[in-house]
PDB file of all heavy atoms in Angstrom:
ATOM      1  N   LEU A 388      90.469  95.535  90.364  1.00 98.00           N
ATOM      2  CA  LEU A 388      91.141  96.624  91.080  1.00 98.00           C
ATOM      3  C   LEU A 388      92.270  97.223  90.228  1.00 98.00           C
ATOM      4  O   LEU A 388      92.402  98.445  90.117  1.00 98.00           O
ATOM      5  CB  LEU A 388      91.708  96.093  92.407  1.00 98.00           C
ATOM      6  CG  LEU A 388      92.552  97.102  93.199  1.00 98.00           C
ATOM      7  CD1 LEU A 388      91.690  98.239  93.719  1.00 98.00           C
ATOM      8  CD2 LEU A 388      93.273  96.409  94.360  1.00 98.00           C
ATOM      9  N   VAL A 389      93.085  96.346  89.616  1.00 98.00           N
ATOM     10  CA  VAL A 389      94.194  96.831  88.788  1.00 98.00           C
ATOM     11  C   VAL A 389      93.648  97.692  87.648  1.00 98.00           C
ATOM     12  O   VAL A 389      94.188  98.767  87.339  1.00 98.00           O
ATOM     13  CB  VAL A 389      95.021  95.649  88.228  1.00 98.00           C
ATOM     14  CG1 VAL A 389      96.024  96.130  87.184  1.00 98.00           C
ATOM     15  CG2 VAL A 389      95.752  94.931  89.357  1.00 98.00           C
ATOM     16  N   ARG A 390      92.569  97.254  87.043  1.00 97.00           N
ATOM     17  CA  ARG A 390      92.005  98.033  85.919  1.00 97.00           C
ATOM     18  C   ARG A 390      91.462  99.378  86.399  1.00 97.00           C
ATOM     19  O   ARG A 390      91.537 100.374  85.697  1.00 97.00           O
ATOM     20  CB  ARG A 390      90.927  97.215  85.202  1.00 97.00           C
ATOM     21  CG  ARG A 390      91.520  95.945  84.587  1.00 97.00           C
ATOM     22  CD  ARG A 390      90.747  95.378  83.434  1.00 97.00           C
ATOM     23  NE  ARG A 390      89.371  95.018  83.688  1.00 97.00           N
ATOM     24  CZ  ARG A 390      88.708  94.098  82.984  1.00 97.00           C
ATOM     25  NH1 ARG A 390      89.308  93.447  82.003  1.00 97.00           N
ATOM     26  NH2 ARG A 390      87.456  93.839  83.233  1.00 97.00           N
ATOM     27  N   GLU A 391      90.918  99.422  87.599  1.00 97.00           N
ATOM     28  CA  GLU A 391      90.414 100.682  88.152  1.00 97.00           C
ATOM     29  C   GLU A 391      91.564 101.654  88.411  1.00 97.00           C
ATOM     30  O   GLU A 391      91.504 102.825  88.056  1.00 97.00           O
ATOM     31  CB  GLU A 391      89.666 100.424  89.469  1.00 97.00           C
ATOM     32  CG  GLU A 391      88.239  99.971  89.284  1.00 97.00           C
ATOM     33  CD  GLU A 391      87.431 100.940  88.440  1.00 97.00           C
ATOM     34  OE1 GLU A 391      87.446 102.143  88.735  1.00 97.00           O
ATOM     35  OE2 GLU A 391      86.804 100.486  87.449  1.00 97.00           O
ATOM     36  N   VAL A 392      92.626 101.143  89.047  1.00 98.00           N
ATOM     37  CA  VAL A 392      93.761 102.011  89.379  1.00 98.00           C
ATOM     38  C   VAL A 392      94.429 102.506  88.098  1.00 98.00           C
ATOM     39  O   VAL A 392      94.846 103.663  87.999  1.00 98.00           O
ATOM     40  CB  VAL A 392      94.781 101.278  90.290  1.00 98.00           C
ATOM     41  CG1 VAL A 392      95.999 102.156  90.547  1.00 98.00           C
ATOM     42  CG2 VAL A 392      94.127 100.871  91.594  1.00 98.00           C
ATOM     43  N   GLU A 393      94.520 101.642  87.101  1.00 97.00           N
ATOM     44  CA  GLU A 393      95.174 102.031  85.843  1.00 97.00           C
ATOM     45  C   GLU A 393      94.558 103.298  85.254  1.00 97.00           C
ATOM     46  O   GLU A 393      95.262 104.134  84.690  1.00 97.00           O
ATOM     47  CB  GLU A 393      95.086 100.895  84.812  1.00 97.00           C
ATOM     48  CG  GLU A 393      95.805 101.275  83.515  1.00 97.00           C
ATOM     49  CD  GLU A 393      95.527 100.329  82.367  1.00 97.00           C
ATOM     50  OE1 GLU A 393      94.681  99.423  82.519  1.00 97.00           O
ATOM     51  OE2 GLU A 393      96.149 100.510  81.309  1.00 97.00           O
ATOM     52  N   LYS A 394      93.244 103.453  85.418  1.00 97.00           N
ATOM     53  CA  LYS A 394      92.574 104.634  84.849  1.00 97.00           C
ATOM     54  C   LYS A 394      93.139 105.935  85.407  1.00 97.00           C
ATOM     55  O   LYS A 394      93.071 106.977  84.774  1.00 97.00           O
ATOM     56  CB  LYS A 394      91.063 104.570  85.137  1.00 97.00           C
ATOM     57  CG  LYS A 394      90.346 103.493  84.366  1.00 97.00           C
ATOM     58  CD  LYS A 394      88.864 103.475  84.749  1.00 97.00           C
ATOM     59  CE  LYS A 394      88.209 102.211  84.223  1.00 97.00           C
ATOM     60  NZ  LYS A 394      86.977 101.868  84.958  1.00 97.00           N
ATOM     61  N   ARG A 395      93.705 105.870  86.618  1.00 96.00           N
ATOM     62  CA  ARG A 395      94.238 107.090  87.245  1.00 96.00           C
ATOM     63  C   ARG A 395      95.696 107.330  86.888  1.00 96.00           C
ATOM     64  O   ARG A 395      96.260 108.363  87.234  1.00 96.00           O
ATOM     65  CB  ARG A 395      94.124 106.978  88.781  1.00 96.00           C
ATOM     66  CG  ARG A 395      92.728 106.668  89.291  1.00 96.00           C
ATOM     67  CD  ARG A 395      92.607 107.026  90.764  1.00 96.00           C
ATOM     68  NE  ARG A 395      93.465 106.224  91.631  1.00 96.00           N
ATOM     69  CZ  ARG A 395      93.061 105.113  92.262  1.00 96.00           C
ATOM     70  NH1 ARG A 395      91.823 104.677  92.116  1.00 96.00           N
ATOM     71  NH2 ARG A 395      93.890 104.459  93.051  1.00 96.00           N
ATOM     72  N   LEU A 396      96.328 106.375  86.234  1.00 97.00           N
ATOM     73  CA  LEU A 396      97.772 106.471  85.985  1.00 97.00           C
ATOM     74  C   LEU A 396      98.056 107.017  84.597  1.00 97.00           C
ATOM     75  O   LEU A 396      97.305 106.772  83.651  1.00 97.00           O
ATOM     76  CB  LEU A 396      98.424 105.092  86.126  1.00 97.00           C
ATOM     77  CG  LEU A 396      98.226 104.371  87.464  1.00 97.00           C
ATOM     78  CD1 LEU A 396      98.998 103.067  87.476  1.00 97.00           C
ATOM     79  CD2 LEU A 396      98.637 105.250  88.637  1.00 97.00           C
ATOM     80  N   ASP A 397      99.197 107.704  84.501  1.00 95.00           N
ATOM     81  CA  ASP A 397      99.601 108.293  83.230  1.00 95.00           C
ATOM     82  C   ASP A 397     100.589 107.353  82.536  1.00 95.00           C
ATOM     83  O   ASP A 397     101.681 107.747  82.140  1.00 95.00           O
ATOM     84  CB  ASP A 397     100.236 109.664  83.496  1.00 95.00           C
ATOM     85  CG  ASP A 397     100.499 110.411  82.208  1.00 95.00           C
ATOM     86  OD1 ASP A 397      99.850 110.090  81.202  1.00 95.00           O
ATOM     87  OD2 ASP A 397     101.374 111.304  82.212  1.00 95.00           O
ATOM     88  N   THR A 398     100.224 106.081  82.453  1.00 97.00           N
ATOM     89  CA  THR A 398     101.069 105.103  81.771  1.00 97.00           C
ATOM     90  C   THR A 398     100.184 103.956  81.297  1.00 97.00           C
ATOM     91  O   THR A 398      98.967 103.988  81.492  1.00 97.00           O
ATOM     92  CB  THR A 398     102.197 104.594  82.690  1.00 97.00           C
ATOM     93  OG1 THR A 398     103.082 103.756  81.932  1.00 97.00           O
ATOM     94  CG2 THR A 398     101.658 103.781  83.867  1.00 97.00           C
ATOM     95  N   VAL A 399     100.818 102.962  80.693  1.00 96.00           N
ATOM     96  CA  VAL A 399     100.057 101.812  80.223  1.00 96.00           C
ATOM     97  C   VAL A 399     100.372 100.622  81.121  1.00 96.00           C
ATOM     98  O   VAL A 399     101.503 100.456  81.578  1.00 96.00           O
ATOM     99  CB  VAL A 399     100.395 101.528  78.735  1.00 96.00           C
ATOM    100  CG1 VAL A 399     101.865 101.230  78.557  1.00 96.00           C
ATOM    101  CG2 VAL A 399      99.570 100.386  78.181  1.00 96.00           C
ATOM    102  N   VAL A 400      99.350  99.826  81.397  1.00 97.00           N
ATOM    103  CA  VAL A 400      99.504  98.676  82.297  1.00 97.00           C
ATOM    104  C   VAL A 400      99.068  97.410  81.566  1.00 97.00           C
ATOM    105  O   VAL A 400      98.027  97.402  80.905  1.00 97.00           O
ATOM    106  CB  VAL A 400      98.644  98.866  83.573  1.00 97.00           C
ATOM    107  CG1 VAL A 400      98.708  97.620  84.458  1.00 97.00           C
ATOM    108  CG2 VAL A 400      99.107 100.090  84.356  1.00 97.00           C
ATOM    109  N   ALA A 401      99.885  96.363  81.663  1.00 94.00           N
ATOM    110  CA  ALA A 401      99.513  95.068  81.090  1.00 94.00           C
ATOM    111  C   ALA A 401      99.502  94.030  82.207  1.00 94.00           C
ATOM    112  O   ALA A 401     100.387  94.022  83.065  1.00 94.00           O
ATOM    113  CB  ALA A 401     100.510  94.657  80.011  1.00 94.00           C
ATOM    114  N   ILE A 402      98.487  93.189  82.198  1.00 93.00           N
ATOM    115  CA  ILE A 402      98.377  92.164  83.240  1.00 93.00           C
ATOM    116  C   ILE A 402      98.711  90.804  82.637  1.00 93.00           C
ATOM    117  O   ILE A 402      98.195  90.446  81.576  1.00 93.00           O
ATOM    118  CB  ILE A 402      96.937  92.099  83.805  1.00 93.00           C
ATOM    119  CG1 ILE A 402      96.492  93.458  84.314  1.00 93.00           C
ATOM    120  CG2 ILE A 402      96.852  91.060  84.926  1.00 93.00           C
ATOM    121  CD1 ILE A 402      95.025  93.492  84.717  1.00 93.00           C
ATOM    122  N   GLY A 403      99.589  90.067  83.286  1.00 90.00           N
ATOM    123  CA  GLY A 403      99.857  88.676  82.908  1.00 90.00           C
ATOM    124  C   GLY A 403      99.403  87.771  84.036  1.00 90.00           C
ATOM    125  O   GLY A 403      99.542  88.119  85.209  1.00 90.00           O
ATOM    126  N   VAL A 404      98.828  86.652  83.690  1.00 90.00           N
ATOM    127  CA  VAL A 404      98.368  85.717  84.722  1.00 90.00           C
ATOM    128  C   VAL A 404      99.020  84.363  84.488  1.00 90.00           C
ATOM    129  O   VAL A 404      98.967  83.830  83.378  1.00 90.00           O
ATOM    130  CB  VAL A 404      96.830  85.554  84.699  1.00 90.00           C
ATOM    131  CG1 VAL A 404      96.383  84.605  85.818  1.00 90.00           C
ATOM    132  CG2 VAL A 404      96.147  86.893  84.840  1.00 90.00           C
ATOM    133  N   GLY A 405      99.647  83.835  85.520  1.00 87.00           N
ATOM    134  CA  GLY A 405     100.260  82.515  85.436  1.00 87.00           C
ATOM    135  C   GLY A 405      99.537  81.546  86.348  1.00 87.00           C
ATOM    136  O   GLY A 405      99.170  81.898  87.466  1.00 87.00           O
ATOM    137  N   ALA A 406      99.321  80.358  85.848  1.00 85.00           N
ATOM    138  CA  ALA A 406      98.636  79.357  86.674  1.00 85.00           C
ATOM    139  C   ALA A 406      99.280  77.999  86.442  1.00 85.00           C
ATOM    140  O   ALA A 406      99.894  77.761  85.401  1.00 85.00           O
ATOM    141  CB  ALA A 406      97.156  79.303  86.297  1.00 85.00           C
ATOM    142  N   ARG A 407      99.153  77.131  87.404  1.00 84.00           N
ATOM    143  CA  ARG A 407      99.627  75.758  87.221  1.00 84.00           C
ATOM    144  C   ARG A 407      98.650  74.988  86.338  1.00 84.00           C
ATOM    145  O   ARG A 407      97.440  75.141  86.463  1.00 84.00           O
ATOM    146  CB  ARG A 407      99.702  75.043  88.568  1.00 84.00           C
ATOM    147  CG  ARG A 407     100.936  75.372  89.350  1.00 84.00           C
ATOM    148  CD  ARG A 407     100.890  74.698  90.704  1.00 84.00           C
ATOM    149  NE  ARG A 407     102.158  74.904  91.377  1.00 84.00           N
ATOM    150  CZ  ARG A 407     103.129  74.004  91.404  1.00 84.00           C
ATOM    151  NH1 ARG A 407     102.991  72.835  90.835  1.00 84.00           N
ATOM    152  NH2 ARG A 407     104.253  74.273  92.015  1.00 84.00           N
ATOM    153  N   CYS A 408      99.206  74.183  85.446  1.00 82.00           N
ATOM    154  CA  CYS A 408      98.345  73.304  84.656  1.00 82.00           C
ATOM    155  C   CYS A 408      97.957  72.091  85.504  1.00 82.00           C
ATOM    156  O   CYS A 408      98.657  71.736  86.448  1.00 82.00           O
ATOM    157  CB  CYS A 408      99.092  72.817  83.417  1.00 82.00           C
ATOM    158  SG  CYS A 408      99.536  74.135  82.294  1.00 82.00           S
ATOM    159  N   ASP A 409      96.854  71.447  85.106  1.00 84.00           N
ATOM    160  CA  ASP A 409      96.496  70.210  85.797  1.00 84.00           C
ATOM    161  C   ASP A 409      97.252  69.030  85.169  1.00 84.00           C
ATOM    162  O   ASP A 409      98.111  69.222  84.290  1.00 84.00           O
ATOM    163  CB  ASP A 409      94.969  70.001  85.767  1.00 84.00           C
ATOM    164  CG  ASP A 409      94.425  69.893  84.347  1.00 84.00           C
ATOM    165  OD1 ASP A 409      95.210  69.564  83.430  1.00 84.00           O
ATOM    166  OD2 ASP A 409      93.220  70.140  84.155  1.00 84.00           O
ATOM    167  N   ALA A 410      96.931  67.836  85.581  1.00 84.00           N
ATOM    168  CA  ALA A 410      97.690  66.658  85.126  1.00 84.00           C
ATOM    169  C   ALA A 410      97.570  66.441  83.625  1.00 84.00           C
ATOM    170  O   ALA A 410      98.413  65.781  83.007  1.00 84.00           O
ATOM    171  CB  ALA A 410      97.212  65.419  85.886  1.00 84.00           C
ATOM    172  N   GLN A 411      96.534  66.995  83.020  1.00 87.00           N
ATOM    173  CA  GLN A 411      96.359  66.866  81.572  1.00 87.00           C
ATOM    174  C   GLN A 411      97.025  68.037  80.828  1.00 87.00           C
ATOM    175  O   GLN A 411      96.880  68.178  79.612  1.00 87.00           O
ATOM    176  CB  GLN A 411      94.867  66.827  81.185  1.00 87.00           C
ATOM    177  CG  GLN A 411      94.169  65.486  81.451  1.00 87.00           C
ATOM    178  CD  GLN A 411      93.999  65.209  82.940  1.00 87.00           C
ATOM    179  OE1 GLN A 411      93.592  66.070  83.694  1.00 87.00           O
ATOM    180  NE2 GLN A 411      94.363  63.995  83.343  1.00 87.00           N
ATOM    181  N   GLY A 412      97.693  68.884  81.554  1.00 80.00           N
ATOM    182  CA  GLY A 412      98.353  70.028  80.920  1.00 80.00           C
ATOM    183  C   GLY A 412      97.399  71.166  80.608  1.00 80.00           C
ATOM    184  O   GLY A 412      97.692  72.043  79.803  1.00 80.00           O
ATOM    185  N   GLU A 413      96.251  71.152  81.261  1.00 85.00           N
ATOM    186  CA  GLU A 413      95.251  72.195  80.993  1.00 85.00           C
ATOM    187  C   GLU A 413      95.037  73.053  82.239  1.00 85.00           C
ATOM    188  O   GLU A 413      95.366  72.650  83.358  1.00 85.00           O
ATOM    189  CB  GLU A 413      93.914  71.546  80.590  1.00 85.00           C
ATOM    190  CG  GLU A 413      93.989  70.698  79.335  1.00 85.00           C
ATOM    191  CD  GLU A 413      94.400  71.503  78.100  1.00 85.00           C
ATOM    192  OE1 GLU A 413      94.134  72.715  78.054  1.00 85.00           O
ATOM    193  OE2 GLU A 413      95.011  70.903  77.199  1.00 85.00           O
TER     194      GLU A 413
END
Side-chain angles (χ1 to χ4, degrees):
L388 175 68
V389 170
R390 297 204 302 205
E391 278 304 309
V392 176
E393 182 192 6
K394 290 178 193 158
R395 306 199 295 265
L396 303 183
D397 188 22
T398 186
V399 60
V400 175
I402 305 173
V404 182
R407 280 176 173 261
C408 297
D409 61 22
Q411 283 70 46
E413 299 299 332

